[in-house]
mmCIF file of all heavy atoms in Angstrom:
data_model
loop_
_atom_site.group_PDB
_atom_site.id
_atom_site.type_symbol
_atom_site.label_atom_id
_atom_site.label_comp_id
_atom_site.label_asym_id
_atom_site.label_seq_id
_atom_site.Cartn_x
_atom_site.Cartn_y
_atom_site.Cartn_z
ATOM 1 N N GLN A 636 157.622 86.707 150.266
ATOM 2 C CA GLN A 636 156.981 87.920 149.767
ATOM 3 C C GLN A 636 157.914 89.126 149.768
ATOM 4 O O GLN A 636 157.624 90.112 149.087
ATOM 5 C CB GLN A 636 155.720 88.217 150.568
ATOM 6 C CG GLN A 636 154.582 87.287 150.186
ATOM 7 C CD GLN A 636 153.322 87.549 150.965
ATOM 8 O OE1 GLN A 636 153.349 87.669 152.188
ATOM 9 N NE2 GLN A 636 152.212 87.638 150.250
ATOM 10 N N ILE A 642 151.958 86.265 145.438
ATOM 11 C CA ILE A 642 152.166 84.829 145.241
ATOM 12 C C ILE A 642 150.860 84.079 145.425
ATOM 13 O O ILE A 642 149.866 84.622 145.880
ATOM 14 C CB ILE A 642 153.234 84.283 146.212
ATOM 15 C CG1 ILE A 642 152.821 84.498 147.678
ATOM 16 C CG2 ILE A 642 154.599 84.909 145.922
ATOM 17 C CD1 ILE A 642 153.763 83.893 148.711
ATOM 18 N N CYS A 651 156.603 65.128 139.494
ATOM 19 C CA CYS A 651 157.995 65.453 139.792
ATOM 20 C C CYS A 651 158.246 65.884 141.230
ATOM 21 O O CYS A 651 159.246 65.513 141.816
ATOM 22 C CB CYS A 651 158.490 66.553 138.854
ATOM 23 S SG CYS A 651 158.336 66.104 137.119
ATOM 24 N N CYS A 658 154.478 76.973 145.692
ATOM 25 C CA CYS A 658 154.320 78.418 145.823
ATOM 26 C C CYS A 658 154.877 79.078 144.562
ATOM 27 O O CYS A 658 156.036 78.846 144.194
ATOM 28 C CB CYS A 658 155.077 78.888 147.066
ATOM 29 S SG CYS A 658 154.950 80.647 147.394
ATOM 30 N N PRO A 660 154.935 82.778 141.868
ATOM 31 C CA PRO A 660 154.508 84.170 141.652
ATOM 32 C C PRO A 660 153.120 84.122 141.010
ATOM 33 O O PRO A 660 152.860 83.288 140.128
ATOM 34 C CB PRO A 660 155.546 84.726 140.663
ATOM 35 C CG PRO A 660 156.738 83.819 140.795
ATOM 36 C CD PRO A 660 156.175 82.466 141.144
ATOM 37 N N SER A 684 143.583 71.064 142.460
ATOM 38 C CA SER A 684 142.855 70.614 141.268
ATOM 39 C C SER A 684 141.501 70.053 141.686
ATOM 40 O O SER A 684 141.330 69.540 142.797
ATOM 41 C CB SER A 684 143.656 69.546 140.518
ATOM 42 O OG SER A 684 143.662 68.336 141.245
ATOM 43 N N GLN A 695 140.824 69.035 156.169
ATOM 44 C CA GLN A 695 141.427 70.360 156.296
ATOM 45 C C GLN A 695 142.916 70.219 155.982
ATOM 46 O O GLN A 695 143.587 69.344 156.528
ATOM 47 C CB GLN A 695 141.249 70.894 157.715
ATOM 48 C CG GLN A 695 141.827 72.287 157.893
ATOM 49 C CD GLN A 695 141.688 72.771 159.330
ATOM 50 O OE1 GLN A 695 142.109 72.094 160.260
ATOM 51 N NE2 GLN A 695 141.085 73.933 159.489
ATOM 52 N N LEU A 724 140.903 65.275 159.258
ATOM 53 C CA LEU A 724 139.508 65.183 158.846
ATOM 54 C C LEU A 724 138.689 66.244 159.559
ATOM 55 O O LEU A 724 138.912 66.519 160.739
ATOM 56 C CB LEU A 724 138.934 63.804 159.178
ATOM 57 C CG LEU A 724 139.481 62.633 158.383
ATOM 58 C CD1 LEU A 724 138.899 61.338 158.913
ATOM 59 C CD2 LEU A 724 139.178 62.796 156.909
ATOM 60 N N GLY A 726 135.718 67.666 161.616
ATOM 61 C CA GLY A 726 134.920 67.016 162.649
ATOM 62 C C GLY A 726 135.758 66.260 163.647
ATOM 63 O O GLY A 726 135.253 65.471 164.426
ATOM 64 N N GLY A 728 139.907 64.514 164.724
ATOM 65 C CA GLY A 728 140.993 63.701 164.196
ATOM 66 C C GLY A 728 142.307 64.423 164.272
ATOM 67 O O GLY A 728 142.361 65.644 164.287
ATOM 68 N N ALA A 732 150.720 63.997 158.074
ATOM 69 C CA ALA A 732 151.244 64.359 156.757
ATOM 70 C C ALA A 732 150.445 63.607 155.695
ATOM 71 O O ALA A 732 149.981 62.494 155.918
ATOM 72 C CB ALA A 732 152.722 64.002 156.651
#
Side-chain angles (χ1 to χ4, degrees):
Q636 285 180 312
I642 60 175
C651 303
C658 181
S684 71
Q695 181 182 54
L724 291 175

